[in-house]
Amino acid sequence: MPATPTVYADESNSTGENLLDPAQAIFCAAGVYVDADLARGIVDDAVAQMPASLGEPKYTTLSKTPNGQSVLLKALSSLTDQTIRAYLTHKQFMVTTKMVDMLVEQLAFETGYNMYADGAAPALANMLHHFGGVCGDKDAFDHLLHTFVRAARKRSKASADELFAAMAAYQATTDESFSGISGVLLITRAQADDIFATIASGKLLDNLDPAVPCLVELCHGLGAELGDFALVHDASKTIERQAPQLLTAHELPDPARPGQNLPRLPLTGITFSDSTSAPELQLADWVAGAVRQWATRNATGQDDPFADALEEIVQPWVLGGIWPDLETVTNPRRQE
């Protein structure tokens, strides 16, 4: 019987549940399945080209200098024949998806309507993301997003009051053509109270952290290519907390498919290590950073010559992401 593959995973731009850090707008989770000797050779070669005083050659350090960028391009180019995958999150868009998921979708579900089945949930999240600051006052919409994040993290009754005050203040600024769409948020107070109470009880942890949903999709994508595998993750408090749930996900109900459980993750186990003892984790750090930098350029439209140079290498590694897409409005993604 062939040995179980081992995948090494790391993250870039992790800010936990703080989804609106303007300096770190994009999150990336990356997994690498690489020959151990190749990984060691690539990392050793990169370290040999850098000053001895550099310390650990993290992506954020290497990517700041022309020499470091050259080292990264050479290293990443050496991985094109390996199994490398990444999954992204546009953090501000995740805020609107979470508002829809935690509040509106729950209200709909209680009335017997599954918003995942006909693609209404992602469509509504995209409409709020794309048009919220255009069809209503942008500052009021931004305040609503920040208040939602604080409310979901504060875990107090008062923060629900603040959230619905922010909703009402924003709603008062919206165009007539959009007020019916955004106004649905105002009728979800009961659902907000329930979800915040659940969070306060400790039964729902890391709800806004993109690390878990990104890792889930990353594992499914890698599993389709490798079959079951062992996962070695760089140190992560969130993933460590959630590891038991990830390994038993198939025992939990799937909110998108009433009456069915979540799909099983193709994992034989999850352990944690660091790049000083596993060069594959160093590569995972570089991959996550490179994909995140390329995706940030795409999201912001800012000029970034190094992201341009990375594109041909990293684009094939991307499985997908929690990412805004207006096509979900005109062409809903229905759940089969």
Side-chain angles (χ1 to χ4, degrees):
M1 174 178 279
T4 301
T6 299
V7 170
Y8 294 80
D10 201 0
E11 305 164 350
S12 182
N13 269 9
S14 175
T15 55
E17 292 187 296
N18 179 17
L19 292 175
L20 295 172
D21 182 342
Q24 301 190 51
I26 306 299
F27 171 86
C28 180
V32 304
Y33 174 55
V34 181
D35 177 81
D37 291 337
L38 175 64
R40 172 58 66 188
I42 292 173
V43 172
D44 286 349
D45 181 59
V47 170
Q49 298 177 62
M50 300 304 297
S53 60
L54 176 69
E56 188 177 4
K58 303 294 284 185
Y59 182 87
T60 51
T61 302
L62 294 177
S63 62
K64 292 177 181 177
T65 67
N67 186 39
Q69 291 177 4
S70 177
V71 167
L72 284 169
L73 284 172
K74 180 181 178 182
L76 295 171
S77 296
S78 302
L79 298 174
T80 53
D81 293 332
Q82 305 298 306
T83 303
I84 313 292
R85 295 292 177 261
Y87 203 82
L88 291 157
T89 291
H90 187 296
K91 294 183 186 178
Q92 182 172 325
F93 176 62
M94 187 171 176
V95 178
T96 60
T97 67
K98 280 294 182 179
M99 281 201 299
V100 171
D101 183 56
M102 294 167 62
L103 304 179
V104 184
E105 188 282 327
Q106 186 57 38
L107 171 62
F109 181 78
E110 291 170 8
T111 66
Y113 171 35
N114 182 355
M115 291 182 68
Y116 295 111
D118 63 359
L124 177 57
N126 271 280
M127 292 184 74
L128 289 170
H129 175 79
H130 285 281
F131 304 122
V134 177
C135 296
D137 181 76
K138 184 179 185 305
D139 289 340
F141 185 68
D142 288 345
H143 177 64
L144 167 58
L145 298 183
H146 279 85
T147 305
F148 173 77
V149 171
R150 290 196 304 271
R153 298 176 71 195
K154 275 186 177 179
R155 305 166 186 178
S156 69
K157 183 72 160 54
S159 53
D161 293 336
E162 294 167 7
L163 174 60
F164 280 81
M167 287 180 184
Y170 168 69
Q171 184 68 7
T173 74
T174 57
D175 297 344
E176 183 178 352
S177 61
F178 194 70
S179 60
I181 295 168
S182 56
V184 71
L185 295 171
L186 284 168
I187 60 174
T188 62
R189 179 58 189 256
Q191 289 69 37
D193 287 339
D194 286 346
I195 193 70
F196 294 153
T198 301
I199 293 171
S201 71
K203 295 178 181 178
L204 186 60
L205 300 174
D206 310 307
N207 189 48
L208 299 185
D209 195 326
V212 172
C214 281
L215 183 61
V216 167
E217 296 301 328
L218 186 65
C219 288
H220 283 308
L222 285 163
E225 300 180 61
L226 303 174
D228 283 5
F229 60 88
L231 180 69
V232 179
H233 202 288
D234 194 55
S236 167
K237 292 181 180 178
T238 297
I239 301 304
E240 191 166 356
R241 272 195 300 270
Q242 298 293 337
Q245 287 73 31
L246 289 168
L247 292 171
T248 57
H250 53 285
E251 299 175 5
L252 302 174
D254 186 343
R257 301 179 304 163
Q260 299 185 54
N261 285 358
L262 291 166
R264 174 185 170 275
L265 287 177
L267 296 174
T268 62
I270 303 175
T271 57
F272 298 88
S273 186
D274 61 69
S275 57
T276 60
S277 57
E280 296 93 337
L281 282 176
Q282 187 68 75
L283 296 181
D285 169 76
W286 295 347
V287 169
V291 174
R292 182 266 309 157
Q293 183 161 355
W294 167 75
T296 300
R297 188 279 314 269
N298 290 352
T300 63
Q302 295 177 349
D303 184 49
D304 186 345
F306 187 47
D308 295 341
L310 290 168
E311 182 168 38
E312 186 176 351
I313 301 170
V314 306
Q315 189 173 19
W317 295 339
V318 179
L319 288 168
I322 302 170
W323 203 265
D325 180 5
L326 267 178
E327 189 179 344
T328 62
V329 177
T330 57
N331 184 23
R333 297 173 183 171
R334 290 176 167 80
Q335 182 79 40
E336 296 299 331

